[in-house]
Amino acid sequence: MLSTIIYRSHISDDVAFKTLGNLAEKANQTNEAHSVTGILLFNGTHFFQVLEGPEEAVLAIYEGICRDPRHHNLVELMRDYAPARRFGNVGMELFDLREYDREIVLQAVLDKGTSKYQLTYDDRALQFLRVFVEATERENYFEIPPGDSWEFIVDNEETPVRPTIRPATDEYSFAFQPIIDPLSRQIVSLEAVMRPTSGASVSDYFAGMPRNEMYEVDLKSKQHVFAMAKQLGIDGLTLSINLLPMSLAIVPDAVDFLLQAIEANGLVPEQIVVEVTENGALSRVDEFEAAIKKLKASGISLAIDGFGAGSAGLVLLTQFQPDKIKIDGNIIADIHKSGPKQAIVQAILKFCSSLQIAVIAEGVNKPEEWMWLESAGVCNFQGALFAPSTLNTLPVVAWPEKLEVF
Ligand code: CA
């Protein structure tokens, strides 16, 4: 099957452009042997390459390209399949866009095409090429420094070590993980996540129960979270709890139950955030909306959890808007290397900004992910990069410190 990979990258500081010609020639021997063709463009700062050929060969060559130290900030823009090569000439010419006038440069590139159809047809690969050549979309090129330019350091004065307390019940307890604003060194909220004692996942634990009992157990478990929070001394911090959407909709007087448990433990509704996933929220939308109204009227905030991983996301958002959105960790993973993930997060940020919804990136594990997201305008993060989730106690936070370059 003929596959296509397109990426862009940034030339490394210590690479002289004139050495690149030889480099391209050398690479061509490999490309030719594997029947990979395409085009490599350079605009003085960035590379843009279209690789076309048999899937395995394209992947193998692309993996080698990803490891090449002569460029960095490599972002994969497209991975797709096509009926024919767009650039089928043997080898891969290095094409320096600066050698052409603005008016003719696109045509000069397109003239390299070998497709029997016009290369200006409505083809995603060629639209990417056009955008790069015409430099019409540069605002999304965040040049993030290498991952090791930051250190993540635990400051025990800011987050004192807390004692580990007794598990909430015999069947389950809770782990805590902070949501932080790393650059202003603030803990935005502490999320409490249920952990069954058996080691099973929460969904497996719930799956073993009749439906109504499951919603009841889910809701009632929250009184243990509030009690643990009190015992751990979270003081004025915000506390995030997870609820199945239907627990709010189906259990009678669910919101009243939460409010009583909040008060009984010396907390106030304004410091509580309820996180619900998109999934299942629309199956009984009227009851769910009624519960949300009551929740909001009491002062409790609402966050959509794992945004983007479910099926209801955008429809749900047209019906009511939460205070916060947590972007699912699957979208966050390796976002610094993925054009599609970057485009999706930028769209989420745009509509959240229009709707005044706070955005949290969850599952942040790498410095590069965090740096890209900061560049894009995300301020609130959760993930093992900063703090793990810890059972029956509050974790300490490793705050980022920029390493001085001497
Ligand atoms: Ca959650």
Side-chain angles (χ1 to χ4, degrees):
M1 206 182 293
L2 187 73
S3 76
T4 312
I5 289 181
I6 299 180
Y7 74 86
R8 67 154 194 264
S9 63
H10 191 287
I11 190 169
S12 294
D13 286 344
D14 49 356
V15 175
F17 178 70
K18 55 181 186 292
T19 63
L20 292 174
N22 301 339
L23 174 88
E25 238 167 70
K26 218 167 162 194
N28 269 342
Q29 293 164 9
T30 321
N31 295 339
E32 205 177 323
H34 293 90
S35 180
V36 171
T37 61
I39 193 161
L40 173 60
L41 309 181
F42 181 68
N43 67 8
T45 314
H46 296 101
F47 294 105
F48 174 99
Q49 187 166 23
V50 179
L51 295 158
E52 300 180 297
E55 188 166 20
E56 271 181 33
V58 167
L59 268 178
I61 286 177
Y62 180 62
E63 275 164 24
I65 290 171
C66 289
R67 288 191 296 269
D68 195 317
R70 281 164 293 208
H71 62 171
H72 57 89
N73 278 332
L74 185 146
V75 176
E76 184 180 313
L77 300 173
M78 193 189 101
R79 195 179 277 225
D80 205 354
Y81 303 89
R85 291 173 195 265
R86 299 157 185 101
F87 298 94
N89 284 334
V90 174
M92 181 106 43
E93 198 179 338
L94 176 62
F95 196 99
D96 189 348
L97 298 177
R98 298 169 299 176
E99 288 170 9
Y100 296 82
D101 285 338
R102 228 189 139 75
E103 298 76 49
I104 61 160
V105 64
L106 180 65
Q107 196 52 52
V109 173
L110 293 177
D111 285 345
K112 301 281 176 192
T114 55
S115 165
K116 63 180 168 168
Y117 303 109
Q118 280 290 320
L119 281 181
T120 47
Y121 277 32
D122 187 17
D123 172 62
R124 287 183 63 220
L126 293 167
Q127 296 302 331
F128 274 116
L129 186 134
R130 175 190 292 268
V131 164
F132 182 80
V133 171
E134 295 179 342
T136 50
E137 204 224 47
R138 298 292 288 278
E139 67 269 23
N140 302 333
Y141 286 27
F142 304 136
E143 304 297 355
I144 56 170
D148 59 6
S149 51
W150 290 82
E151 262 187 320
F152 296 81
I153 298 168
V154 170
D155 184 337
N156 288 328
E157 269 178 37
E158 274 175 81
T159 43
V161 179
R162 313 278 177 132
T164 299
I165 58 172
R166 284 191 23 229
T169 72
D170 289 343
E171 287 207 6
Y172 60 81
S173 195
F174 288 87
F176 293 84
Q177 187 176 32
I179 296 162
I180 66 163
D181 179 342
L183 293 186
S184 58
R185 296 175 81 95
Q186 268 185 349
I187 294 178
V188 176
S189 183
L190 281 168
E191 183 187 359
V193 183
M194 190 188 235
R195 289 271 184 82
T197 313
S198 65
S201 69
V202 176
S203 49
D204 284 348
Y205 174 63
F206 282 146
M209 297 175 196
R211 283 210 150 221
N212 282 351
E213 191 184 324
M214 165 174 99
Y215 298 131
E216 191 98 2
V217 170
D218 179 36
L219 182 76
K220 298 282 158 71
S221 72
K222 278 22 183 219
Q223 66 186 340
H224 298 298
V225 176
F226 301 138
M228 288 176 87
K230 183 186 178 187
Q231 225 184 320
L232 288 165
I234 71 158
D235 303 324
L237 279 176
T238 299
L239 181 66
S240 300
I241 58 172
N242 294 278
L243 274 174
L244 299 165
M246 285 303 101
S247 301
L248 283 175
I250 285 176
V251 182
D253 301 320
V255 176
D256 290 331
F257 175 83
L258 289 177
L259 291 172
Q260 278 164 22
I262 289 165
E263 201 192 332
N265 289 289
L267 303 168
V268 292
E270 285 76 8
Q271 77 185 113
I272 307 299
V273 179
V274 167
E275 297 188 0
V276 295
T277 53
E278 308 159 290
N279 284 343
L282 287 184
S283 56
R284 288 177 72 165
V285 73
D286 290 346
E287 287 102 323
F288 181 65
E289 276 195 18
I292 294 305
K293 273 185 204 165
K294 210 166 167 188
L295 201 72
K296 292 305 303 286
S298 75
I300 297 175
S301 302
L302 184 74
I304 295 191
D305 207 0
F307 185 80
S311 51
L314 299 181
V315 181
L316 195 65
L317 271 189
T318 62
Q319 300 189 347
F320 72 93
Q321 292 77 46
D323 304 285
K324 298 162 191 276
I325 273 179
K326 296 181 82 175
I327 304 176
D328 191 67
N330 288 306
I331 298 177
I332 300 304
D334 282 332
I335 190 163
H336 57 293
K337 294 194 276 192
S338 163
K341 288 180 179 185
Q342 294 176 1
I344 286 164
V345 166
Q346 278 167 330
I348 293 174
L349 288 172
K350 189 143 193 275
F351 73 65
C352 284
S353 161
S354 303
L355 296 169
Q356 304 300 336
I357 297 170
V359 175
I360 297 159
E362 62 180 9
V364 181
N365 295 324
K366 297 180 182 171
E368 294 89 343
E369 295 164 348
W370 165 61
M371 287 187 284
W372 189 91
L373 290 159
E374 282 275 1
S375 304
V378 179
C379 302
N380 296 338
F381 301 84
Q382 188 175 31
L385 178 64
F386 305 105
S389 69
T390 52
L391 190 65
N392 302 325
T393 189
L394 301 184
V396 290
V397 179
W399 301 98
E401 300 256 4
K402 191 132 178 79
L403 288 173
E404 298 294 333
V405 180
F406 294 101

